[in-house]
Amino acid sequence: MTPIELTKLARTAARDLLEVPVETVSRCCHEGDGWTVEVEVTEQKGKIADNDVIARYLMKFSETGEVMAFERVSRALRSAG
């Protein structure tokens, strides 16, 4: 698989698992016998955008594109940067 294919796959998998749209893919790299992709999502909308809760998730994929692991690595207010 290529990084472009994995990025598309990660967006779809994260959206299906979390039931929220993916804002961005911030990392995609081949590691050993698989791929690591990091995505950012808005987990909770605030009344103003600065109060949105943004979370980053690390996803591990096999060489064939199967999700092997899924983990939230951080969560913060959008205004926290």
Side-chain angles (χ1 to χ4, degrees):
M1 298 193 85
T2 68
I4 292 172
E5 292 170 324
L6 255 297
T7 297
K8 290 177 182 177
L9 183 63
R11 282 182 175 278
T12 300
R15 184 184 64 234
D16 291 349
L17 287 164
L18 298 168
E19 299 179 345
V20 296
V22 173
E23 285 198 19
T24 189
V25 174
S26 55
R27 177 178 171 212
C28 179
C29 61
H30 190 259
E31 295 180 340
D33 60 350
W35 292 83
T36 299
V37 180
E38 188 174 291
V39 298
E40 295 180 11
V41 302
T42 301
E43 282 195 334
Q44 185 177 359
K45 287 281 200 181
K47 290 189 184 226
I48 59 172
D50 283 353
N51 291 335
D52 290 350
V53 176
I54 304 299
R56 287 184 354 201
Y57 285 84
L58 193 63
M59 304 175 73
K60 302 261 184 185
F61 291 88
S62 69
E63 286 288 338
T64 58
E66 182 180 351
V67 177
M68 305 302 290
F70 185 80
E71 172 187 13
R72 182 170 58 196
V73 293
S74 71
R75 190 171 192 250
L77 288 176
R78 184 182 301 274
S79 61

